Amino acid sequence: EAGVAQSPRYKIIEKRQSVAFWCNPISGHATLYWYQQILGQGPKLLIQFQNNGVVDDSQLPKDRFSAERLKGVDSTLKIQPAKLEDSAVYLCASSLGAGLTYEQYFGPGTRLTVT
Amino acid sequence: DQQVKQNSPSLSVQEGRISILNCDYTNSMFDYFLWYKKYPAEGPTFLISISSIKDKNEDGRFTVFLNKSAKHLSLHIVPSQPGDSAVYFCAAMDSNYQLIWGAGTKLIIKP
């Protein structure tokens, strides 16, 4: 079974530029999560999708971050414009569905550096 | 307001000995807890979990203990092996099936 795929793996941009991350979840997984992990901290949930609908985006800074999951499969997370404090690893995870399983499967993450 | 705390940023253990990683939580409504393991440049991978109705769950060398009255759980690894060197995250699942994460403990197994 193929795991969660993410790209790019690394990205360096200047502040005020824009950036986009892509995630392909495990086939058949209905729930998709985007997390932000700052160095020395645990992952923080940014947004949760169930199929192509948003379940929770309460911690997504909507003035600069946006995310979509077209057709209930792949997802993109965008930051525009980026700030220095956005430097972090962005993790995508998927699961069969909330309530069906507790386990989330993670991709390798995208390390973003904003200079 | 950290709901899940891992107070030890790092832990060093001799190969073959027992590793004990600790985690405390504040919300008594959490009903499921998970431990994840993370190697550098990789995403976290699921290790072991425990329901709040249990006090122990064992899987091979890994055992998780839950003390609900103390709001404390621990992960025991016996015997510790070099490949166990990684960052270990404790996470609690809330009523929305979302994970609340601790900051992680870096485990170093010395040969």
Side-chain angles (χ1 to χ4, degrees):
Chain A
E1 168 180 272
V4 177
Q6 288 188 249
S7 68
R9 292 295 310 274
Y10 305 91
K11 190 74 176 179
I12 301 174
I13 61 172
E14 295 181 351
K15 59 184 179 183
R16 291 187 290 273
Q17 286 187 323
S18 62
V19 65
F21 311 127
W22 173 82
C23 173
N24 179 241
I26 293 173
S27 177
H29 280 195
T31 307
L32 185 147
Y33 309 82
W34 281 103
Y35 288 90
Q36 179 192 59
Q37 185 177 15
I38 293 172
L39 187 65
Q41 300 180 16
K44 183 185 89 169
L45 180 68
L46 292 176
I47 188 168
Q48 176 184 348
F49 292 94
Q50 180 75 12
N51 296 310
N52 61 349
V54 175
V55 173
D56 185 352
D57 63 358
S58 58
Q59 298 197 81
L60 187 74
K62 298 181 189 62
D63 58 334
R64 299 184 300 106
F65 286 64
S66 64
E68 60 182 7
R69 190 183 184 195
L70 299 176
K71 300 180 181 178
V73 183
D74 292 6
S75 178
T76 56
L77 176 69
K78 297 180 181 178
I79 308 175
Q80 181 180 10
K83 292 185 174 181
L84 295 176
E85 59 260 36
D86 297 332
S87 293
V89 175
Y90 290 85
L91 294 163
C92 178
S94 69
S95 70
L96 280 172
L100 296 176
T101 178
Y102 298 104
E103 186 175 342
Q104 297 178 16
Y105 297 81
F106 284 81
T110 297
R111 180 176 294 278
L112 174 67
T113 302
V114 182
T115 63
Chain B
D1 177 27
Q2 283 187 284
Q3 296 190 66
V4 178
K5 295 182 181 180
Q6 295 177 256
N7 292 317
S8 299
S10 65
L11 176 67
S12 185
V13 174
Q14 202 73 36
E15 180 180 357
R17 305 293 288 270
I18 183 171
S19 296
I20 301 175
L21 296 98
N22 294 303
C23 177
D24 297 294
Y25 61 95
T26 57
N27 189 340
S28 58
M29 298 303 291
F30 290 147
D31 59 6
Y32 207 80
F33 301 89
L34 303 89
W35 284 93
Y36 277 78
K37 176 179 180 179
K38 186 182 184 303
Y39 292 119
E42 295 183 12
T45 55
F46 171 75
L47 188 59
I48 191 170
S49 63
I50 188 167
S51 165
S52 62
I53 62 174
K54 295 185 175 181
D55 55 16
K56 177 183 176 181
N57 188 27
E58 189 172 355
D59 184 2
R61 296 186 298 113
F62 303 90
T63 303
V64 56
F65 295 92
L66 175 62
N67 182 334
K68 285 190 67 177
S69 60
K71 296 192 183 68
H72 177 83
L73 65 158
S74 60
L75 174 68
H76 292 211
I77 307 174
V78 182
S80 300
Q81 299 175 354
D84 296 330
S85 294
V87 177
Y88 289 79
F89 290 96
C90 168
M93 184 157 283
D94 67 13
S95 56
N96 295 317
Y97 300 100
Q98 293 175 358
L99 293 178
I100 312 298
W101 297 75
T105 296
K106 183 176 183 178
L107 177 64
I108 301 166
I109 305 301
K110 301 179 292 184

